[in-house]
């Protein structure tokens, strides 16, 4: 987003706005820069504007205001078929009246490529997604996962530098989805393609991307690599949207550089790291990840503030224990603990004390 | 896992057929459980099924039956047609006296039942002039019989009276009842036992006469009707062979006199062949006998041959002379014009259906109302409206003349010809093309065209290579619908078609309602049905009927 990245900026959105009805903005003042070879995911709830952004980039929607540049050239007035962007659609959009090989050959044919060259490229693309044996079949004869691979191969066969994917794994079951997530990232990195991936599945976004842009209400809420996004969400929407999250409402009581004290509704005081609170007296929402909550006092820092909690429910999940607590008026406070031989199994009704490292507890905006 | 009871099905899998829980085979068990549901389903569709059978399947079979049915000839002339089978027309000789005699009996009875004119009408389809020949021959049959009655009448006037015959032929008790004016119903004829042995043929003929009278009117007083000429002829034949001198019952004197006359050999009786020749020249025309012989069988291909401009002759099927051929022209015109109409419909309907499925909902609904509007208007009104539009002094011509595009004395002939039929029928059948197309197009997701564009195809290529092939099932469905409707269309060609723009259906209607040649109408209809099925089959082979979709 800074001016320094101007040289390696491959895709740029500059002050892009989009309105369908002339009354409300679906995309509000979007600024985004992608370097070549990056895998960027646009993540957000439905209606957050992420798909609209993708469609503007692909050329199926026009920006109401602002500039979209591809490799330094403004593409606002270039029709979709001249943009040379590969795209994978949500329902795959494989042409049902053509065989798999014909589907892959299509982008090469419209580029007036010779027959032998076409065949070689189609074969290479199919082999790449391990579908070499299926060239003669029709899309309807393939399973969802196979269709997905073909759609991917078709988007890549004409060697575009930018590939867009619109929730491509939405229709697959969990196991297949995980496998495909891995394959898509592997292919994208191996081929060095710039990828813009749209999804509303945060796990997908975290596991696949170099960077994730979290969309809400037509704006990018945070643009960061996955670990940063998860561990240091910059506002409470991102904290809520990414991963599981416990929140406690309170007021900032004391600020001392890297830490602050937050007084909860029931008068209890906890340590937190101030992120977007401006000063003492601010309303805040503190967020703690379930796996960072500790109830074993030995593992806590000296002098850490503790909270009383009542165990409401203990759920055995195999690799994890998930315990629901009642903490400071919040009955849905979740803690996760690893299933290890020395791990305590809490019982409902038990009263315990919980605490955390101040760095793990982030004081965010209150709305 | 030893404590887990294995289900019956699993056990059975190891030894022999699959068994249900109660030990019956699974197949039978399944069939039993499905039967109830099948019966329920059948009950639900029973009214419709019955309706379709009665109003659709039955008429079609009746039509197919009528197109070959020909029993009227052999039913009306049973004796002569049987004898005619053995007549070899190739010899160039007229049939023998036996055939004429049989034809006399047949025609005499037919005349009494007034069936001979019906047969004449039937045979007239095959050879003009036969209708009047049969009508006139009715009277001729009486004349032939009169040759026998007249000498008897000269002997005794009683031979031409009803009651003396009754007394002679009937059993005394039966005669008493038959003459009784108060009798509610005439009793069945009981012959005089003595006469039966003496004059068996006469009794038989008389009995037939009495049965006929009774069938005609059960309450008729039997003594009032003079017997048929057939009875006189039978009496002549009997008297030639029998000696009646021993008879002493009623009318014994008359009978003896008549016997004397007959056996004297002085009565000059002409042959039946001569009688027929007197009745009508046609009966000594070998061609007419050949026609009757050709159409004697109970089933005939004659109607079908007529329907394809051929005719059935004793030497087999042959084409009619050039100027008599009409149906071939009509069939080919019907098919050609239906194809033109179908293609015009495709051209006009495709853009409309495309708009319908791609416009925003509000505009699409408005457009849909415009498409459906013709459905809500009477067919006759629409067709008549076209008459107003297209005629020489009609709207289109007037506008063109007013604009100076055509001269006033050179107006376009837009109606009462093929052009008029094509224009009006394209308009009328257009919704049947638009609707299937629309329902198929609306199931094509926009992402296909987008995908094609993202892959580098321009608008035209994306449409032609990706959108169009997927809309073909809609075109197929619409085309079948429109073509099949067009090929059997009747009202519109009848109103705007004039002479050159009429269809085969107009001819069928003519035969059904005007010429009353139902057999030919049925044959034309059957050929039309076969043509449609054939085209349907061809379409299935070429395009594949699986590719026809009327909706999602």
């Amino acid at each position: 987003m800074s001016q320094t990245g101007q040289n390696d900026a491959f895709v740029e959105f500059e002050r892009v706005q989009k309105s369908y009805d002339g009354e409300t903005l679906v995309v509000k003042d979007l600024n985004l820069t992608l370097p070549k070879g990056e895998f960027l995911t646009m993540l957000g709830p439905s209606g957050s504007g992420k798909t609209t952004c993708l469609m503007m980039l692909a050329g199926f929607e026009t920006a109401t205001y602002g500039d979209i540049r591809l490799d330094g050239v403004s593409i606002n007035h270039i029709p979709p078929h001249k943009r040379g962007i590969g795209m994978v659609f949500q329902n795959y959009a494989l042409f049902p009246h053509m065989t798999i090989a014909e589907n892959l050959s299509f982008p090469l044919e419209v580029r007036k490529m010779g027959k032998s060259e076409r065949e070689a490229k189609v074969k290479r693309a199919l082999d790449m997604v391990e579908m070499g044996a299926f060239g003669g079949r029709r899309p309807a004869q393939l399973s969802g996962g196979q269709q997905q691979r073909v759609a991917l191969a078709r988007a890549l066969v004409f060697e575009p530098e930018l590939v867009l994917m619109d929730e491509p794994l939405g229709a697959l079951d969990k196991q297949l989805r995980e496998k495909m997530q891995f394959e898509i990232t592997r292919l994208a990195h191996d081929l060095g393609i710039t990828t813009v991936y749209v999804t509303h599945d945060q796990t997908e976004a975290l596991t696949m991307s170099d960077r994730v842009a979290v969309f809400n209400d037509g704006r990018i809420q945070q643009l960061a690599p996955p670990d940063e996004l998860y561990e240091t969400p910059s506002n409470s929407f991102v904290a809520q949207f990414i991963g599981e999250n416990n929140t406690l409402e309170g007021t900032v009581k004391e600020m001392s550089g890297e830490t602050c004290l937050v007084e909860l509704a029931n008068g209890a005081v906890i340590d937190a790291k101030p992120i977007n609170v401006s000063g003492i007296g601010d309303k805040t929402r503190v967020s703690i990840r379930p796996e960072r909550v500790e109830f074993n006092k030995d593992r806590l820092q000296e002098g850490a503030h503790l909270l009383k909690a009542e165990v409401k429910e203990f759920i055995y999940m195999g690799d994890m224990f998930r315990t629901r607590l009642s903490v400071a008026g919040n009955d849905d406070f979740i803690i996760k603990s690893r299933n290890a031989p020395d791990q305590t199994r809490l019982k409902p009704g038990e009263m315990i004390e919980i605490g955390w490292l101040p760095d793990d507890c982030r004081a965010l905006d209150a709305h | 896992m030893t404590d887990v009871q294995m289900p019956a099905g699993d056990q059975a899998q190891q030894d022999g057929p699959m068994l249900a829980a109660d030990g019956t085979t699974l197949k039978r068990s399944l069939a039993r459980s499905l039967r109830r549901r099948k019966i329920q389903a059948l009950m639900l569709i029973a009214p419709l099924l019955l309706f379709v059978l009665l109003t659709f399947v039955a008429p079609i079979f009746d039509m197919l039956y009528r197109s070959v049915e020909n029993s009227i000839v052999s039913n009306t002339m049973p004796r002569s047609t049987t004898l005619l089978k053995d007549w070899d027309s190739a010899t160039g000789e007229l049939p023998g006296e036996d055939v004429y005699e049989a034809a006399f009996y047949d025609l005499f009875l037919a005349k009494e039942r007034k069936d001979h004119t019906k047969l004449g009408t039937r045979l007239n389809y095959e050879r003009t002039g036969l209708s009047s020949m049969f009508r006139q021959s009715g009277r001729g049959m009486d004349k032939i019989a009169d040759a026998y009655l007249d000498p008897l009448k000269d002997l005794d006037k009683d031979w031409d009276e009803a009651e003396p015959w009754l007394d002679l032929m009937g059993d005394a008790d039966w005669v008493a009842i038959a003459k009784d004016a108060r009798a509610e119903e005439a009793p069945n004829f009981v012959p005089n036992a003595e006469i039966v042995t003496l004059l068996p043929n006469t009794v038989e003929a008389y009995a037939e006469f009495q049965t006929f009278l009774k069938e005609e009117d059960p309450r008729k007083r039997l003594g009032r009707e003079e017997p048929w000429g057939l009875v006189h002829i039978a009496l002549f034949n009997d008297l030639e062979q029998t000696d009646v001198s021993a008879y002493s019952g009623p009318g014994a004197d008359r009978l003896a006199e008549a016997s004397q006359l007959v056996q004297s050999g002085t009565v000059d009786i002409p042959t039946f062949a001569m009688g027929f020749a007197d009745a009508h020249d046609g009966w000594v025309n070998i061609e007419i006998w050949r026609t009757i012989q050709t159409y004697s069988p109970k089933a005939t291909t004659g109607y079908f041959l007529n329907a394809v401009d051929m005719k059935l002759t004793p030497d087999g099927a042959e084409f009619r002379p050039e100027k008599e051929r009409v149906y071939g022209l009509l069939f080919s015109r019907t098919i050609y014009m239906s194809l033109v109409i179908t293609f015009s419909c495709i051209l006009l309907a495709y853009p409309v259906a495309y708009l319908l499925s791609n416009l925003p909902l509000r505009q699409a609904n408005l457009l849909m109302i415009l498409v459906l509007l013709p459905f809500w208007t009477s067919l006759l009104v629409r067709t008549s409206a076209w008459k107003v539009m297209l005629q020489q002094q009609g709207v289109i011509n007037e506008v063109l003349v007013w604009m100076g595009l055509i001269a006033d004395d050179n107006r376009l002939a837009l109606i009462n010809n093929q052009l008029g039929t094509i224009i009006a029928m394209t308009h009328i059948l257009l919704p049947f093309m638009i609707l299937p197309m629309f329902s198929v197009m609306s199931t094509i997701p926009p992402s296909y065209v987008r995908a094609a564009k993202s892959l580098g195809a321009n608008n035209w290529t994306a449409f032609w290579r990706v959108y169009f092939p997927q809309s073909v099932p809609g075109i197929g469905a619409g085309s079948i619908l429109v073509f099949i409707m067009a090929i059997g269309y009747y009202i519109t060609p009848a109103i705007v078609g004039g002479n050159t723009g009429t269809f085969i259906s107009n001819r069928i209607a003519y035969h059904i309602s005007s010429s009353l040649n139902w057999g030919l109408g049925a044959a034309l209809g059957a050929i039309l049905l076969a043509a449609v099925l054939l085209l349907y089959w061809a379409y299935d082979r070429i395009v594949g009927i699986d590719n026809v979709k009327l909706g999602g």
Side-chain angles (χ1 to χ4, degrees):
Chain A
M1 275 186 277
S2 61
Q3 291 298 311
T4 53
Q6 193 67 39
N7 283 341
D8 52 57
F10 185 56
V11 178
E12 277 176 286
F13 283 84
E14 193 185 322
R15 308 204 56 195
V16 172
Q17 293 186 323
K18 174 70 185 176
S19 174
Y20 285 108
D21 54 4
E23 285 167 16
T24 50
L25 283 172
V26 184
V27 174
K28 298 169 185 164
D29 196 24
L30 181 82
N31 292 287
L32 181 65
T33 311
L34 257 85
K36 213 163 196 159
E38 189 180 53
F39 196 117
L40 177 106
T41 298
M42 293 177 169
L43 175 68
S46 48
S48 60
K50 57 188 193 311
T51 301
T52 308
C53 282
L54 195 76
M55 289 302 166
M56 286 194 287
L57 187 52
F60 300 124
E61 301 288 354
T62 51
T64 314
Y65 178 80
D67 207 11
I68 303 173
R69 282 191 291 273
L70 185 64
D71 214 3
V73 184
S74 171
I75 55 170
N76 281 18
H77 299 293
I78 297 179
H81 67 272
K82 289 189 178 152
R83 294 190 182 191
I85 300 175
M87 188 155 179
V88 180
F89 289 82
Q90 195 170 5
N91 55 5
Y92 318 137
L94 296 178
F95 307 137
H97 56 290
M98 299 185 190
T99 64
I100 299 308
E102 285 166 354
N103 261 283
L104 262 73
S105 182
F106 182 81
L108 307 177
E109 272 172 54
V110 298
R111 285 176 172 75
K112 311 249 186 311
M113 213 171 266
K115 193 170 182 235
S116 53
E117 196 184 351
R118 259 177 9 222
E119 278 169 1
K121 286 198 175 204
V122 167
K123 188 177 179 315
R124 185 144 32 97
L126 281 177
D127 288 342
M128 188 173 70
V129 293
E130 292 161 19
M131 292 290 293
F134 295 89
R137 300 226 192 149
R138 302 253 165 182
Q141 293 169 301
L142 301 185
S143 70
Q146 290 170 328
Q147 290 188 30
Q148 177 55 58
R149 287 157 185 269
V150 173
L152 189 62
R154 190 179 65 175
L156 296 175
V157 71
F158 60 98
E159 290 158 15
E161 290 188 86
L162 176 62
V163 173
L164 312 181
M165 302 192 190
D166 184 12
E167 307 211 16
L169 305 180
L172 302 183
D173 59 65
K174 189 166 174 288
Q175 241 174 343
L176 208 51
R177 199 154 60 212
E178 281 165 8
K179 191 159 177 259
M180 286 305 296
Q181 285 168 11
F182 170 73
E183 281 196 34
I184 289 173
T185 34
R186 181 181 61 83
L187 275 173
H189 283 133
D190 286 358
L191 301 172
I193 332 163
T194 316
T195 312
V196 178
Y197 190 99
V198 163
T199 184
H200 62 263
D201 180 340
Q202 34 132 337
T203 326
E204 222 165 86
L206 294 182
T207 51
M208 299 174 79
S209 329
D210 296 328
R211 283 195 300 164
V212 178
V214 180
F215 273 71
N216 189 38
D217 196 22
R219 287 180 201 280
I220 295 183
Q221 302 291 330
Q222 189 172 1
L223 175 65
D227 52 345
E228 215 175 285
L229 204 65
Y230 185 80
E231 284 163 28
T232 61
S234 62
N235 59 37
S236 55
F237 174 80
V238 178
Q240 292 280 5
F241 194 73
I242 306 286
E244 207 168 5
N245 190 51
N246 291 308
T247 56
L248 295 168
E249 310 267 344
T251 321
V252 178
K253 210 177 167 199
E254 256 183 61
M255 297 256 294
S256 53
E258 285 295 287
T259 56
C260 67
L261 273 184
V262 175
E263 186 182 7
L264 302 180
N266 66 350
V269 177
I270 54 168
D271 302 308
K273 184 177 184 179
I275 303 297
N276 51 5
V277 286
S278 47
I280 295 168
D282 267 12
K283 288 271 175 204
T284 182
R285 183 180 279 170
V286 294
S287 119
I288 316 109
R289 297 290 179 196
E291 68 277 11
R292 298 291 170 100
V293 179
E294 193 53 75
F295 55 90
N296 187 340
K297 277 181 214 158
D298 303 344
R299 294 193 198 145
L300 282 171
Q301 263 181 341
E302 202 69 23
H305 286 93
L306 295 179
L307 279 179
K308 281 195 178 358
E310 186 194 348
V311 178
K312 286 283 185 192
E313 198 178 357
F314 176 82
I315 302 160
Y316 178 84
M317 295 178 74
D319 57 338
M320 304 279 280
F321 300 147
R322 189 182 155 92
T323 317
R324 188 162 66 83
L325 307 175
S326 174
V327 176
N330 181 354
D331 278 350
D332 283 318
F333 198 96
I334 305 291
I335 60 173
K336 283 183 185 166
S337 41
R338 202 164 55 89
N339 183 0
D342 60 336
Q343 189 62 271
T344 324
R345 299 190 182 192
L346 297 166
K347 289 179 184 61
E350 212 173 319
M351 293 299 293
I352 55 168
E353 281 188 316
I354 54 168
W356 46 77
L357 300 175
D359 270 2
D360 290 336
C361 177
R362 299 167 68 82
L364 302 169
D365 52 304
H367 57 268
Chain B
M1 294 299 274
T2 46
D3 56 333
V4 176
Q5 193 79 45
M6 249 209 217
D10 288 359
Q11 271 172 355
Q13 217 158 21
Q14 292 150 7
D15 49 343
M18 193 82 99
L19 296 183
D22 60 353
T24 54
T25 60
L26 193 57
K27 252 189 187 156
R28 185 183 298 174
S29 183
L30 180 70
R32 195 172 42 201
S33 66
L34 288 180
R35 192 176 308 137
R36 219 182 122 78
R37 297 183 56 187
K38 277 186 192 160
I39 289 172
Q40 277 178 346
L42 201 67
M43 297 282 274
L44 277 175
I45 61 159
L48 177 65
L49 198 66
L50 213 65
F51 180 78
V52 167
L53 279 177
L54 282 177
T55 62
F56 186 70
V57 179
I60 284 181
F61 277 97
D62 184 58
M63 180 187 79
L64 291 175
Y65 173 70
R66 275 178 195 279
S67 64
V68 293
E69 192 266 347
N70 190 45
S71 54
I72 184 169
V73 180
S74 54
N75 280 353
T76 314
M77 303 181 67
R79 297 169 187 84
S80 41
T81 49
T82 314
L83 288 175
L84 268 177
K85 265 183 213 156
D86 303 326
W87 174 57
D88 183 6
S89 63
T91 57
E93 284 174 27
L94 284 167
E97 176 68 9
D98 56 338
V99 174
Y100 280 104
E101 186 179 353
F104 167 73
Y105 282 106
D106 290 336
L107 279 181
F108 194 93
L109 288 172
K111 174 205 67 147
E112 290 299 328
R113 292 194 212 96
K114 298 179 179 64
D115 279 347
H116 64 303
T117 52
K118 286 184 202 158
L119 177 62
T121 311
R122 163 68 188 98
L123 288 173
N124 202 51
Y125 299 144
E126 314 303 340
R127 192 186 178 89
T128 33
L130 282 185
S131 180
S132 68
M133 180 179 120
F134 272 84
R135 209 170 41 243
Q136 289 170 26
S137 300
R139 272 170 267 136
M141 294 308 110
D142 282 333
K143 264 192 179 162
I144 293 174
D146 283 347
Y148 296 85
L149 174 61
D150 289 342
L152 290 176
K153 216 159 62 175
D154 291 342
L155 284 181
D156 191 329
K157 263 189 3 207
D158 276 356
W159 285 117
D160 194 24
E161 295 294 331
E163 283 201 13
W165 269 102
L166 210 61
D167 295 333
L168 177 66
M169 303 308 288
D171 179 70
D173 294 339
W174 175 79
V175 171
I177 308 170
K179 284 183 178 172
D180 186 352
R182 287 163 303 175
E184 277 293 303
E185 192 172 318
N188 283 337
F189 172 67
V190 182
N192 182 338
E194 208 177 344
I195 290 287
V196 173
T197 49
L198 276 177
L199 308 169
N201 293 322
T202 319
V203 170
E204 198 184 320
Y206 193 77
E208 198 175 341
F209 162 68
Q210 288 292 354
T211 313
F212 176 82
L213 284 187
K214 215 166 111 62
E215 271 168 17
E216 210 176 37
D217 182 0
R219 279 183 292 178
K220 186 169 251 174
R221 282 189 54 204
L222 302 175
R224 288 274 175 83
E225 295 271 338
E226 306 92 56
W228 294 335
L230 292 186
V231 180
H232 309 139
I233 296 171
L235 178 68
F236 248 76
N237 290 340
D238 279 336
L239 290 179
E240 269 178 359
Q241 290 151 23
T242 321
D243 180 24
V244 291
S245 51
Y247 176 69
S248 59
D253 302 344
R254 277 189 292 137
L255 204 58
E257 266 181 316
S259 170
Q260 243 175 2
L261 175 73
V262 170
Q263 293 194 344
S264 71
T266 53
V267 184
D268 182 30
I269 302 281
T271 62
F272 286 106
M274 286 158 71
F276 268 90
D278 266 357
H280 196 280
D281 311 342
W283 292 111
V284 287
N285 182 346
I286 191 159
E287 288 304 320
I288 281 174
W289 279 107
R290 292 175 107 174
T291 306
I292 295 174
Q293 188 191 35
T294 309
Y295 288 92
S296 294
K298 286 200 180 295
T300 179
T301 54
Y303 290 125
F304 274 101
L305 291 171
N306 276 347
V308 293
D309 288 334
M310 296 174 84
K311 64 180 170 189
L312 189 63
T313 66
D315 313 318
E318 64 183 40
F319 273 103
R320 285 179 183 277
E322 203 79 51
K323 59 180 184 191
E324 282 178 29
R325 297 183 194 171
V326 281
Y327 299 114
L329 175 74
L330 271 173
F331 271 117
S332 55
R333 183 201 286 164
T334 302
I335 288 173
Y336 160 73
M337 282 176 69
S338 297
L339 284 175
V340 171
I341 289 162
T342 308
F343 279 111
S344 325
C345 277
I346 293 175
L347 288 182
L348 293 179
Y350 199 92
V352 178
Y354 182 84
L355 273 183
L356 267 177
S357 52
N358 287 291
L359 277 181
L361 197 64
R362 274 177 65 96
Q363 281 119 297
N365 278 343
L366 188 71
L367 193 59
M368 184 59 109
I369 288 174
L370 292 178
V371 168
L372 290 178
L373 209 58
F375 270 142
W376 305 335
T377 322
S378 153
L379 176 64
L380 213 57
V381 172
R382 270 182 284 159
T383 307
S384 309
W386 275 113
K387 223 172 161 126
V388 175
M389 291 288 289
L390 298 174
Q391 60 191 321
Q392 296 260 303
Q393 309 299 322
V395 178
I396 290 175
N397 268 315
E398 289 290 346
V399 169
L400 290 176
V401 168
W402 177 75
M403 285 166 74
L405 290 176
I406 53 170
D408 196 13
D409 55 355
N410 191 23
R411 289 168 179 252
L412 300 176
L414 297 172
I415 202 166
N416 294 332
N417 54 20
Q418 296 195 5
L419 185 65
T421 305
I422 289 171
I423 292 174
M425 279 183 62
T426 300
H427 166 249
I428 283 161
L429 295 175
L430 201 55
F432 296 99
M433 184 66 87
I434 294 177
L435 293 178
M437 276 187 178
F438 163 66
S439 70
V440 168
M441 285 182 184
S442 58
T443 62
I444 303 174
S447 63
Y448 286 123
V449 169
R450 285 184 167 184
K453 286 184 187 170
S454 83
L455 293 171
N458 60 27
N459 288 342
W460 169 250
T461 313
F463 167 78
W464 183 245
R465 295 278 315 271
V466 174
Y467 191 89
F468 181 77
Q470 295 189 65
S471 66
V472 163
I475 300 178
S479 301
I480 288 191
L481 206 60
V482 167
F483 183 79
I484 290 176
M485 287 184 80
I487 209 170
Y489 229 68
Y490 163 64
I491 295 180
T492 306
I495 294 177
V496 299
N499 282 330
T500 57
T502 50
F503 279 17
I504 193 72
S505 46
N506 300 99
R507 200 67 195 170
I508 295 175
Y510 165 78
H511 282 305
I512 298 294
S513 58
S514 298
S515 84
L516 299 184
N517 189 353
W518 286 17
L520 182 53
L524 289 169
I527 289 176
L528 196 58
L529 180 66
V532 169
L533 290 178
L534 191 75
L535 285 163
Y536 185 82
W537 174 81
Y539 185 93
D540 185 32
R541 289 297 299 270
I542 299 163
V543 186
I545 217 69
D546 299 342
N547 285 330
V548 170
K549 272 198 252 174
L550 285 169

